[in-house]
Structures are given as structure tokens and as C-alpha cells.
Amino acid sequence: MEKNMKRSKEKKSKKKIWLWILGSLVAIFLIFIGTAYYAIQKTMNKINTPLIESADNGGIEQKTVTKKEPFSVLLLGVDERKDDSGRSDTMIVVTVNPEKQTMKMLSIPRDTRTEIIGHDSVDKINHAYAFGGVPMAVDTVEHFLDIPIDYYVFINMDGFLQIIDTIGGVTIENDMDLTYNSYHFPKGDVTLTGDEALIFSRIRYEDPRGDFGRQIRQRQIIEAVMKKASSTSSILKATDMLEVVGDNVRMNFTMKDLIQLQSIYKKMDRNIDQLSFEEGDGTKINHIWYYIPNDAELQKIQAELKEHLK
């Protein structure tokens, strides 16, 4: 029982982190819209990468966020490193129903064993990005959940934290004395550079709370970034901040979509239904560990998401 409660807290914490990340991205664009319009347009041209779908009539169909039509979003948090395409360590599907003013968030375990669409293989779901980038990740998640994915948000977490250096570092209240190799983070107020924040957000085994403790620290960093990014001193660095976002974020939301999304999200803060896989099992196949979803639970989640998307 205690283990399940801890597991549930970890999943809720991860989803809250993604809400903070999405909120910070929207905030950065909207805070600076009056002072750096040209820079925003330049950044949007860089990060906006549509997932084109062929319409039945042979034309091109691109969905637009409205206040009535439900839509879905795949959130991909990727740890990209030199000479490595990276793995999508975080995969969260969000469905939004503007008319009902409700939102559902489902965290997909990254080790989930499923068919990788377009790769002719059965593997861990987070390998889809490594094999075929965002398009293959989207196709695989669509097949796994049996729902359409309308939008995606891709974030290279390592690069995204460079924004901390741009705003002159962030200060957080560390609740535990932690040491990792040559890095020491004493208990109390700690000011972090981008590199230090990256190490601080990755510490897991040195924290007795494990992944739950790591999620707490990640949320602290995102909250600190949001707070400082909206300060008067940071507004003067709008162009530099947008440059970091442009280098590390990809999405198929347009500027108009983001503005509409913000107005919709304001009404949904208290109506977020968090879904998760609870009944699956972990097993080794050919010496590789996989998460195997429970069929009945998977079908139940699929049906719930389909109903929410109409």
C-alpha cells in the first residue's frame, strides 16, 4: 500500500513538472510578445515543425486549437547528448476537451513493450524516438493507445536548462544535503548555474527518496526559471532566452495556437484528471527489462481517452 502511494506521488509529481514546463514555454512567449515581437516570430519559425497528414481529398490537413474541438498532445522530454540521438525519457499524452473544460494526462512508462510503428519491431516505447524521431514516436503512441495525436511538444532537457545561464542563474531552497562527484549542494538556499542545475536535477541514487526526490528538485528548478524569467531584468534578455528555446524545443503549435491554449488552460487548472498504468508487470525478455501493460487496463484507458476526444 505504501509502495503504491509513493509510486502514485512520483507520477503526479512528473505530470506537474510537465505542466510547469508547458506553462513556462507559453509564459516566455507571451511575456515578451510586446518587447521582442520580431524575435518571437523568428523563434516560432524555427521551432514550429508540423506533422503533416494527408487529407482524404489529397490535400493537406493541419489541426488548429479551438475553444470547442477536443485535441491531444504528446509531450516528449528527451535527453540528447553528443553523438547520441537520445531516448524519450518522458512520454506523456494530454487530451483536452475545451467544451467540457477538462484535461486528462497519461504518463506512459518509458520501458513499455509495444510495437514500434515504421520499424518492424517490438521494443521499449521510448526507443521509437531513437529509431525514427518525433514522427515514429507519434505513430507508435497513436497505435499503442488507438487514438490520434494532434500535437507534440519536444524538449531537449539538457539544452533547455541553458536558459538558466541566460537569466544569471536561479536560487532554490534545497531540502537535503547532497553530493554527486565533485558537486556539493548544501541544505538551504542554493544558487545554480545551468550545468549545476542539470546535475542537481539528475541526482537519484544519492537521494533516499529516489526518483521522487529527483522529481521534486526538477519542479523546483522549473518554478525558479518561470519566476525569474518573468522578472523585469530578464525581460531585457528576451532575445537570448528565445534563442535557447529555439535551439531546444520543437512543436507543431503555432503562435495563434499557443495564445488560444493559454486561454483554455486558465479554465482547467482544477479539472486535470491524471491517468496512469497501475496493473502491469515488469519482466525480463532476452535479458532486457520491460514493462508489460495489463490488457484490460490498457483497453479501459483507451476507451476513456477516446470518449474524451469524442
Side-chain angles (χ1 to χ4, degrees):
M1 179 70 176
E2 183 178 347
K3 183 178 179 181
N4 289 336
M5 289 179 65
K6 183 178 179 181
R7 182 180 175 190
S8 176
K9 288 181 180 178
E10 290 178 359
K11 292 179 179 179
K12 288 181 179 179
S13 178
K14 182 179 287 187
K15 292 171 184 175
K16 287 180 180 178
I17 288 169
W18 269 98
L19 287 179
W20 278 113
I21 291 175
L22 280 179
S24 65
L25 285 173
V26 173
I28 287 171
F29 283 113
L30 298 183
I31 287 170
F32 303 139
I33 196 167
T35 58
Y37 182 78
Y38 173 76
I40 289 176
Q41 286 298 321
K42 182 179 178 181
T43 302
M44 283 302 300
N45 290 339
K46 190 173 184 179
I47 73 175
N48 182 253
T49 309
L51 288 174
I52 302 299
E53 297 181 9
S54 297
D56 294 337
N57 60 6
I60 298 299
E61 184 179 23
Q62 181 67 38
K63 196 174 182 70
T64 301
V65 175
T66 71
K67 292 184 178 180
K68 290 186 178 181
E69 291 186 12
F71 60 90
S72 60
V73 187
L74 173 61
L75 310 178
L76 292 169
V78 177
D79 183 5
E80 279 191 331
R81 303 182 187 185
K82 188 177 181 180
D83 301 323
D84 185 358
S85 60
R87 298 287 190 274
S88 49
D89 287 337
T90 300
M91 301 183 81
I92 295 177
V93 172
V94 180
T95 59
V96 181
N97 190 312
E99 196 170 20
K100 293 183 178 180
Q101 295 186 5
T102 55
M103 178 189 300
K104 294 182 184 290
M105 298 185 70
L106 170 69
S107 180
I108 303 175
R110 63 184 183 179
D111 294 323
T112 299
R113 193 169 191 267
T114 188
E115 181 181 354
I116 307 299
I117 303 303
H119 193 258
D120 193 28
S121 66
V122 175
D123 208 326
K124 296 184 179 184
I125 197 166
N126 74 323
H127 286 189
Y129 173 79
F131 294 148
V134 172
M136 189 170 288
V138 169
D139 288 344
T140 298
V141 171
E142 283 187 331
H143 177 77
F144 176 64
L145 294 177
D146 196 26
I147 62 170
I149 297 296
D150 301 308
Y151 298 98
Y152 77 91
V153 176
F154 160 92
I155 299 179
N156 173 19
M157 297 305 296
D158 287 18
F160 186 71
L161 288 179
Q162 292 173 10
I163 203 169
I164 292 175
D165 290 327
T166 305
I167 59 179
V170 293
T171 300
I172 59 96
E173 185 178 350
N174 185 24
D175 64 354
M176 180 181 296
D177 190 276
L178 293 167
T179 299
Y180 180 82
N181 294 336
S182 61
Y183 293 88
H184 178 231
F185 305 102
K187 184 177 181 180
D189 288 345
V190 180
T191 299
L192 306 171
T193 64
D195 286 340
E196 290 169 340
L198 182 60
I199 297 299
F200 186 71
S201 68
R202 281 180 174 170
I203 293 175
R204 178 173 54 174
Y205 299 112
E206 292 76 11
D207 187 334
R209 297 167 297 184
D211 196 54
F212 181 54
R214 180 172 62 173
Q215 299 298 333
I216 292 174
R217 292 191 298 279
Q218 289 175 343
R219 187 175 70 249
Q220 285 180 310
I221 291 171
I222 295 298
E223 289 174 354
V225 169
M226 285 184 64
K227 182 177 180 180
K228 193 162 184 181
S230 61
S231 67
T232 304
S233 60
S234 294
I235 289 177
L236 300 176
K237 302 174 182 177
T239 302
D240 293 335
M241 292 174 66
L242 288 170
E243 185 176 340
V244 174
V245 171
D247 288 340
N248 295 286
V249 177
R250 295 292 178 268
M251 64 176 74
N252 58 341
F253 284 109
T254 64
M255 192 65 209
K256 182 179 178 181
D257 289 332
L258 289 178
I259 294 173
Q260 187 77 283
L261 188 62
Q262 188 204 35
S263 67
I264 292 173
Y265 177 70
K266 282 181 179 178
K267 304 174 183 178
M268 295 186 175
D269 285 358
R270 300 180 183 180
N271 293 287
I272 302 173
D273 186 9
Q274 299 184 359
L275 310 179
S276 60
F277 289 95
E278 301 286 350
E279 300 176 14
D281 292 310
T283 187
K284 281 191 175 182
I285 300 176
N286 296 327
H287 307 292
I288 298 175
W289 195 91
Y290 295 94
Y291 175 77
I292 310 297
N294 176 277
D295 287 340
E297 183 179 45
L298 175 58
Q299 291 173 12
K300 180 180 177 181
I301 288 174
Q302 289 174 339
E304 187 169 348
L305 294 178
K306 287 178 183 178
E307 191 280 331
H308 195 230
L309 292 171
K310 295 184 178 179

